[in-house]
């Protein structure tokens, strides 16, 4: 999952949004199966940011909400704030 996140970040910077979406979705699923809230939060933030960049902010909202819930599980105030600001 970490490698998927890293690749997704690179694809985002390259503007390869289709690849980026698939990689963030894969990371979100894997981190969810592992019950790793930090990974779930970070992957959902990336997924949401990608959707916003694609002009799909409505589709990004559930991703940001999922990130917020994941960070709340960690009591990660700054992470939750990042998700709400997006």
């Amino acid at each position: 999952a970490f490698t998927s996140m890293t690749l997704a970040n690179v694809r985002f910077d390259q503007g390869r949004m289709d690849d980026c979406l698939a990689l963030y979705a894969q990371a979100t699923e894997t981190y969810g199966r592992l019950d790793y809230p930090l990974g779930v939060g970070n992957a959902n933030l990336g997924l949401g940011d990608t959707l916003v960049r694609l002009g799909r902010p409505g589709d990004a909202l559930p991703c940001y909400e999922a990130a917020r819930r994941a960070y709340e599980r960690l009591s990660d105030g700054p992470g939750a704030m990042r998700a709400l600001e997006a």
Side-chain angles (χ1 to χ4, degrees):
F2 181 78
T3 303
S4 294
M5 287 283 297
T6 302
L7 287 171
N9 291 332
V10 170
R11 298 298 186 246
F12 186 90
D13 290 341
Q14 293 174 332
R16 295 174 57 183
M17 297 297 115
D18 289 338
D19 292 342
C20 187
L21 284 175
L23 288 162
Y24 278 130
Q26 180 183 16
T28 300
E29 181 181 325
T30 301
Y31 282 131
R33 280 195 323 267
L34 295 171
D35 194 31
Y36 185 59
L38 181 60
V40 170
N42 291 341
N44 272 292
L45 276 179
L47 189 55
D49 289 347
T50 303
L51 289 165
V52 166
R53 186 166 176 184
L54 288 170
R56 297 168 47 191
D59 292 335
L61 288 176
C63 300
Y64 292 136
E65 288 295 325
R68 183 179 54 87
R69 286 190 304 273
Y71 290 130
E72 285 174 348
R73 286 184 58 199
L74 297 170
S75 299
D76 179 357
M81 290 304 298
R82 164 85 169 82
L84 292 173
E85 291 171 357

